[in-house]
């Protein structure tokens, strides 16, 4: 997050991907019973998109997307 706040584009994408993966791992989505409109499909898609966006600016996240 520090790199993201300092203007590192890839770091911002990786932080977003990591957040999606974390929410999934902790069951913070509708299908897991969490009181939210966020779905497993959304978390998966968002995570993969953010990883792809990081790669497009020569970044590597290493996040395991759901």
């Amino acid at each position: 997050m520090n790199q993201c706040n300092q203007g590192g584009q890839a770091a911002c994408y990786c932080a977003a991907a990591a957040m999606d993966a974390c929410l999934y791992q902790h069951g913070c989505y509708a299908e897991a019973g969490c009181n939210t409109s966020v779905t497993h499909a959304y978390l998966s898609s968002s995570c993969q998109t953010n990883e792809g966006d990081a790669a497009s600016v020569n970044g590597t996240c290493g996040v395991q997307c759901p």
Side-chain angles (χ1 to χ4, degrees):
M1 285 302 293
N2 288 337
Q3 290 176 0
C4 178
N5 292 333
Q6 296 170 5
Q9 225 178 351
C12 291
Y13 293 131
C14 290
M19 178 63 76
D20 293 331
C22 181
L23 290 172
Y24 174 76
Q25 290 170 353
H26 291 281
C28 300
Y29 55 99
E31 295 89 341
C34 189
N35 186 17
T36 182
S37 61
V38 175
T39 64
H40 172 272
Y42 173 81
L43 291 175
S44 179
S45 174
S46 178
C47 185
Q48 292 172 14
T49 297
N50 282 306
E51 278 206 320
D53 289 344
S56 74
V57 292
N58 299 319
T60 305
C61 299
V63 174
Q64 290 190 4
C65 292

